[in-house]
Amino acid sequence: YQESSCTAMAACAFSRGVRHQWYENPEPYREGCVKACDGLKKKAVDGDGHVHGVCRGSEFSCSRRYYAEQLLPRLDDTHGIGIILLALCEGEKLV
C-alpha cells in the first residue's frame, strides 16, 4: 500500500528546508514537496477528513511476512494525522 506518513515527513522537511534557505538549489525540493502534498490530498485524506495509508505502530521482526501481511495500514491512525497536517500546512506556505 502507499504509506502516507513517510511521504508527509519528507514533504514537511523539504518545505522547511526551502523556506529556511537550507538548500543551494531549492527548486527540486520545492517541486518534490508540492508533488507530495498533491498526492496526500488525493490519496491520503478523503472528503470527510479521514486519513488513509498510515502504517500502524510496529514492533521489530526479522520476518518479511510480518511487514507484508501483518503490518497493514489503519484508518485515522494517530501515527500519521499530525505529520500529514504539518506537511499540508508547510506545502501551503510554498505556493
Side-chain angles (χ1 to χ4, degrees):
Y1 63 93
Q2 296 175 343
E3 209 290 327
S4 54
S5 62
C6 188
T7 300
M9 285 184 242
C12 186
F14 288 169
S15 175
R16 287 184 180 177
V18 170
R19 287 191 310 104
H20 293 286
Q21 301 175 349
W22 295 338
Y23 307 118
E24 196 170 301
N25 179 12
E27 277 316 300
Y29 298 97
R30 179 187 308 275
E31 289 173 19
C33 179
V34 170
K35 286 180 183 179
C37 288
D38 287 346
L40 290 170
K41 290 176 196 174
K42 290 176 187 169
K43 300 275 186 173
V45 183
D46 68 23
D48 293 324
H50 294 288
V51 174
H52 299 265
V54 177
C55 176
R56 69 175 176 84
S58 65
E59 299 175 11
F60 176 78
S61 176
C62 292
S63 165
R64 288 183 184 193
R65 213 172 139 205
Y66 170 74
Y67 294 102
E69 297 173 12
Q70 296 174 358
L71 194 58
L72 301 175
R74 281 198 261 177
L75 181 67
D76 294 331
D77 192 274
T78 56
H79 292 94
I81 294 171
I83 192 62
I84 289 172
L85 285 171
L86 280 173
L88 294 176
C89 288
E90 283 289 330
E92 287 297 312
K93 293 175 185 178
L94 291 181
V95 263

